[in-house]
Amino acid sequence: MLNPTMPLLLRCSDNAMPAITTQLSFTTSHLLNYMLQQNKFQNTDGSINEERTAAAKKFLGYLNDPQLKKEYEVSRWNSPGFDPQRPFLEEDQPDWKTDPKISKDLSRYIEINDELDATWNTITSGPDNEFTRAENGLLMCQRVDLWCAGEAEVEAALKHLLNLGKECNDLEPDTPEYITEFYPGASDL
């Protein structure tokens, strides 16, 4: 069953095809798995690009390694009073990596960060906006068009959204303050 806090909407208007839609929180892991499963890493001639495919698998390995994640997070703070992820750092201190004290303290962080950046740049380097198009394709999976659909198609659309939302089904309701649901005919209102 879908989480009751996850909005499942029937979209219908004069200027749009009817659709069942929802909002799922996709992560980078979901996107890379989708791209690998759908063979989205392609060369301009349509053949599979092994370099970007291997980079995606490598990046997924990084994302699934709790020890590496922890080491990355902890090594970020090895230089007291300095944050390598501080906003506008490259503008304020463009040569911070050449500082002997900081580069020695943050050597492991810089090593991991450079490897992640190189892998990510390889993944997103595909032709014809391959990465952006795959991202949009994954976002389209949360909407199922119902143009000329019958009962079986609507049921299939709901099952599709159910399967898509199983992993992302731990949503917490985000109701605005001071707004409650109105039930017409309620005696206490």
Side-chain angles (χ1 to χ4, degrees), residues 66-83:
Q67 185 178 355
L68 183 68
K69 277 184 177 178
K70 184 172 180 161
E71 185 179 3
Y72 183 65
E73 291 168 6
V74 170
S75 66
R76 173 183 171 186
W77 304 108
N78 284 349
S79 185
F82 183 80
D83 180 6

Side-chain angles (χ1 to χ4, degrees), residues 7-61:
L8 191 63
L9 309 168
L10 175 63
R11 182 192 72 191
C12 53
S13 72
D14 293 335
N15 298 326
M17 290 185 186
I20 293 176
T21 184
T22 189
Q23 293 178 350
L24 300 174
S25 299
F26 295 115
T27 64
T28 303
S29 297
H30 293 120
L31 178 58
L32 293 177
N33 281 320
Y34 169 76
M35 291 182 77
L36 289 169
Q37 290 167 359
Q38 300 297 319
N39 295 323
K40 297 288 186 183
F41 294 108
Q42 296 183 356
N43 296 317
T44 52
D45 63 358
S47 62
I48 302 299
N49 184 290
E50 297 299 327
E51 181 185 12
R52 289 194 307 277
T53 301
K57 289 177 182 176
K58 187 177 182 182
F59 201 85
L60 283 171

Side-chain angles (χ1 to χ4, degrees), residues 42-166:
Q42 296 183 356
N43 296 317
T44 52
D45 63 358
S47 62
I48 302 299
N49 184 290
E50 297 299 327
E51 181 185 12
R52 289 194 307 277
T53 301
K57 289 177 182 176
K58 187 177 182 182
F59 201 85
L60 283 171
Y62 293 150
L63 293 176
N64 292 328
D65 186 351
Q67 185 178 355
L68 183 68
K69 277 184 177 178
K70 184 172 180 161
E71 185 179 3
Y72 183 65
E73 291 168 6
V74 170
S75 66
R76 173 183 171 186
W77 304 108
N78 284 349
S79 185
F82 183 80
D83 180 6
Q85 292 184 6
R86 185 181 71 210
F88 307 112
L89 177 64
E90 293 300 325
E91 294 171 12
D92 297 341
Q93 281 182 285
D95 57 345
W96 67 272
K97 286 186 180 179
T98 59
D99 183 312
K101 182 189 180 323
I102 294 174
S103 63
K104 182 178 177 284
D105 292 345
L106 298 177
S107 61
R108 183 63 180 147
Y109 172 83
I110 292 170
E111 179 186 339
I112 296 170
N113 192 53
D114 289 348
E115 179 66 25
L116 289 174
D117 284 347
T119 307
W120 186 253
N121 290 337
T122 302
I123 291 169
T124 58
S125 67
D128 301 326
N129 293 324
E130 164 188 86
F131 189 80
T132 305
R133 291 174 60 192
E135 199 171 23
N136 291 337
L138 185 60
L139 288 172
M140 291 300 289
C141 288
Q142 67 184 358
R143 187 189 86 214
V144 180
D145 288 326
L146 301 175
W147 185 249
C148 299
E151 288 180 31
E153 288 84 1
V154 172
E155 184 178 346
L158 285 170
K159 285 181 181 177
H160 170 74
L161 289 175
L162 169 67
N163 290 332
L164 189 61
K166 279 183 181 174

Side-chain angles (χ1 to χ4, degrees), residues 174-182:
D174 187 21
T175 49
E177 287 187 49
Y178 311 112
I179 295 178
T180 57
E181 291 188 26
F182 173 71

